[in-house]
């Protein structure tokens, strides 16, 4: 089973690493790390991930995973090779998935027109403008497409996809392998109901980054 992980400059590390951890352990999986060109790809926190091939070298993957980025508006303008590859590879893929603002790339490729999809809360308006029906759910399955909300939701998407590929028992075994049993110390992980002071602090943090 060929799983293509799309890489590009400025992508969010956990958007890629979360689903990768949930999927790449399976013995049936051959993971491919694709970008516009083979070589190092720098994430939005400075970590470098090595692309092993260019997008065009794997035209028919079984599964596609597209991470998002905090620089999503720039990415939509810059990543033409990725968008074109998504449009061409989607029809033959069994599953096409995204994490966070990766769904805006799917939408730009014409994959989400009129379909329910989710994304990071900050990009909901953009995703809607690209033709998707925006959901606030953490993971949305619509036919052969699975989209996940912001960043950490990629872990849940990876497990959801594992269950679709290999069954619930295998997905539960993967969950145990990575000891994914989250108990966050705070309850401010979603936009709905968050304290306005937390939003203000987020603004200060992102202004400094």
């Amino acid at each position: 089973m060929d799983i293509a992980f799309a890489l590009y400059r400025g992508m969010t590390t956990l958007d890629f690493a979360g689903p990768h951890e949930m999927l790449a352990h399976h013995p049936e999986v051959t993971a491919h790390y694709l970008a516009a060109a083979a070589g190092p790809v720098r994430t939005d926190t400075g970590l470098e991930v090595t692309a092993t091939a260019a997008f065009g070298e794997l035209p028919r993957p079984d599964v596609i995973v597209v991470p998002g980025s905090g620089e999503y508006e720039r990415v939509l303008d810059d990543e033409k090779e990725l968008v074109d590859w998504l449009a061409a590879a989607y029809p033959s893929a069994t599953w096409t998935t995204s994490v966070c603002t990766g769904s805006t790339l799917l939408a730009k490729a014409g994959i989400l027109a009129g379909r329910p999809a989710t994304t990071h809360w900050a990009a909901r308006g953009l995703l809607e403008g690209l033709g998707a029906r925006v959901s606030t759910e953490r993971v949305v399955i619509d036919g052969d497409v699975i989209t996940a909300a912001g960043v950490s939701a990629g872990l849940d998407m990876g497990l959801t996809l594992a269950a679709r590929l290999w069954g619930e028992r295998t997905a539960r075994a993967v969950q145990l392998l990575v000891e994914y049993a989250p108990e966050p110390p705070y309850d401010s992980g979603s936009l709905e109901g968050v304290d306005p002071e937390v939003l203000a602090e987020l603004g200060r943090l992102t202004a400094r980054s």
Side-chain angles (χ1 to χ4, degrees), residues 106-194:
L106 298 188
K108 189 163 185 180
I111 296 168
L112 298 182
R115 304 176 72 165
T118 189
T119 190
H120 190 282
W121 55 264
R124 289 172 183 168
L126 177 59
L127 182 60
E128 184 176 27
L130 290 167
R133 290 166 36 215
V134 175
S135 170
T136 60
E137 296 296 319
R138 190 163 173 84
V139 176
V140 173
I141 305 172
D142 182 66
D144 56 0
V145 175
I146 307 177
T147 55
V151 192
S152 65
L155 293 160
D156 297 339
M157 188 281 288
L159 275 181
T160 299
L161 178 56
R164 296 306 189 278
L165 291 171
W166 306 300
E168 183 177 317
R169 183 171 62 181
T170 296
R172 287 178 175 272
V174 171
Q175 183 179 16
L176 177 60
L177 173 66
V178 302
E179 201 169 351
Y180 179 50
E183 296 181 7
Y186 309 109
D187 63 354
S188 54
S190 65
L191 180 63
E192 286 69 30
V194 75

Side-chain angles (χ1 to χ4, degrees), residues 42-110:
R42 186 176 294 272
T43 72
D44 59 4
T45 54
L47 180 72
E48 286 192 345
V49 181
T50 300
T52 53
F55 292 123
E57 295 179 63
L58 188 67
R60 296 172 64 88
D62 300 300
V63 177
I64 299 168
V65 180
V66 183
S69 170
E71 306 167 13
Y72 50 90
E73 292 179 326
R74 175 195 61 78
V75 168
L76 281 179
D77 291 333
D78 289 355
E79 297 299 328
K80 184 179 185 304
E81 294 95 335
L82 171 53
V83 171
D84 289 348
W85 175 78
L86 286 171
Y90 164 71
S92 61
T94 303
W95 290 101
T96 298
T97 73
S98 67
V99 181
C100 195
T101 60
S103 57
T104 64
L105 288 161
L106 298 188
K108 189 163 185 180

